[in-house]
């Protein structure tokens, strides 16, 4: 049923509050003091910036804190002293987006995810996948070329 929470009650309209990095810890502490649970932290790579959204639930009402980090050398304070479970999200955001998170309760030091490309989502440009079928010598490494189809045709 669309619009119903797991408990079967009607969910309210989502709220998004835009904040600065300087207000993050205070706003998160207020959410904790109100009895909110941390639902998720998401990161999105946008041109020249990384957008983070912290989602909280209280009585089936979802609220969000959203902030933007500069694309070059992004960093933010950890909220793990407030919500310990955030270590999973914060290590993921570090490993996938290259965001330096200061003061994590548990820091995997870049080893939370094993990726072929360091910080694969740290740029808006898509990385090229390496494969056995590499382009001919002199071709651009990420050139878009039509697929080569081999084999008999009917």
């Amino acid at each position: 049923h669309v619009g119903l929470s797991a408990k079967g009650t009607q969910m309210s309209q989502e709220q998004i509050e835009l904040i600065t990095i300087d207000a993050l810890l205070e706003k998160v502490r207020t959410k904790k003091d109100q009895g909110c649970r941390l639902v998720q932290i998401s990161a999105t790579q946008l041109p020249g910036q990384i957008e983070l959204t912290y989602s909280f639930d209280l009585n089936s009402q979802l609220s969000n804190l959203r902030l933007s980090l500069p694309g070059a050398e992004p960093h933010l304070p950890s909220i793990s002293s407030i919500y310990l479970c955030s270590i999973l999200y914060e290590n993921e955001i570090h490993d996938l987006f290259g965001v330096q998170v200061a003061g994590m309760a548990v820091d995997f030091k870049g080893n939370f995810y094993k990726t072929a490309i360091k910080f694969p989502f740290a740029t808006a440009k898509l990385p090229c996948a390496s494969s056995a079928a590499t382009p001919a010598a002199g071709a651009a490494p990420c050139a878009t070329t039509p697929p080569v189809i081999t084999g008999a045709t009917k």
Side-chain angles (χ1 to χ4, degrees), residues 116-117 126-135 141-142:
I117 300 167
L126 294 175
C128 295
S130 60
S131 69
T134 57
C142 294

Side-chain angles (χ1 to χ4, degrees), residues 54-143:
Y54 295 72
S55 300
F56 301 89
D57 171 69
L58 180 63
N59 300 323
S60 299
Q61 292 191 15
L62 191 62
S63 63
N64 301 280
L65 301 175
R66 182 169 289 164
L67 62 93
S68 294
L69 302 174
E73 300 182 28
H75 63 279
L76 74 148
S78 173
I79 66 164
S80 62
S81 64
I82 304 166
Y83 288 98
L84 182 60
C85 63
S86 69
I87 63 168
L88 301 173
Y89 300 113
E90 291 173 343
N91 276 282
E92 178 179 277
I93 289 166
H94 171 266
D95 288 9
L96 299 180
F97 291 87
V99 175
Q100 300 303 311
V101 184
M104 280 190 280
V106 179
D107 186 349
F108 284 84
K109 302 193 184 312
N111 295 303
F112 189 66
Y113 280 112
K114 301 289 186 198
T115 57
I117 300 167
K118 189 170 184 156
F119 311 132
F121 303 129
T123 178
K125 180 181 175 188
L126 294 175
C128 295
S130 60
S131 69
T134 57
C142 294

